[in-house]
Each structure stands twice: as C-alpha cells, then as structure tokens.
Amino acid sequence: MNWIKTKEQQPERQINVRYSQVPCLVYYKKQVMILQFNHEHECWDDEDGDDYCCDIESVEYWMPLPEPPSVG
C-alpha cells in the first residue's frame, strides 16, 4: 500500500452506512497513528469518535488499514 496525500484525496465514504467513519493509518505531526475519517463533519476523529483534527489537511498522508492477520 502507498501513502495518499490528503490534499489530493480523502478516504471513500462507506456505502449504506448512516454515519460514515473510515479507520485509516495517518501520518500526522511526524507520527503514524490510527484515526477515523468522519465524512459527516469532514474531519479526523480519534479512536473514541471525538473530533481530533477539524482541518482535514493537518493530516498530511493516509492509507487504508491493512487486513488483520488470519488467526487459526
């Protein structure tokens, strides 16, 4: 997977979901972390769903989360 510039593209809205929040890996202030892109408010939310960065472009890069490992 490659990093995507937030200025060029945001995560795609989830289909058939009333309140679309898409978890992503993000690069923000020289750190890699997991945040959720909130389509309703067009901001990045923390893991609790609280508004984290209301300026979309304060997160420089993002990428979809990889699939979790299969256990078993």
Side-chain angles (χ1 to χ4, degrees):
M1 277 187 250
N2 294 321
W3 289 99
I4 301 164
K5 286 187 177 185
T6 305
K7 290 181 180 182
E8 296 175 3
Q9 179 184 347
Q10 285 83 43
E12 290 185 28
R13 178 180 280 277
Q14 294 171 311
I15 299 171
N16 298 325
V17 175
R18 184 170 175 248
Y19 193 83
S20 178
Q21 287 182 303
V22 179
C24 301
L25 282 178
V26 301
Y27 183 72
Y28 174 66
K29 293 188 176 182
K30 299 182 182 181
Q31 293 184 23
V32 174
M33 54 182 49
I34 296 174
L35 296 178
Q36 298 180 65
F37 188 78
N38 179 331
H39 286 95
E40 306 309 315
H41 296 117
E42 294 189 355
C43 67
W44 292 96
D45 292 346
D46 65 14
E47 63 275 359
D48 296 325
D50 293 331
D51 292 348
Y52 190 79
C53 304
C54 288
D55 177 11
I56 294 173
E57 293 179 3
S58 61
V59 170
E60 297 176 64
Y61 297 91
W62 67 275
M63 71 169 59
L65 291 178
E67 290 295 320
S70 58
V71 179

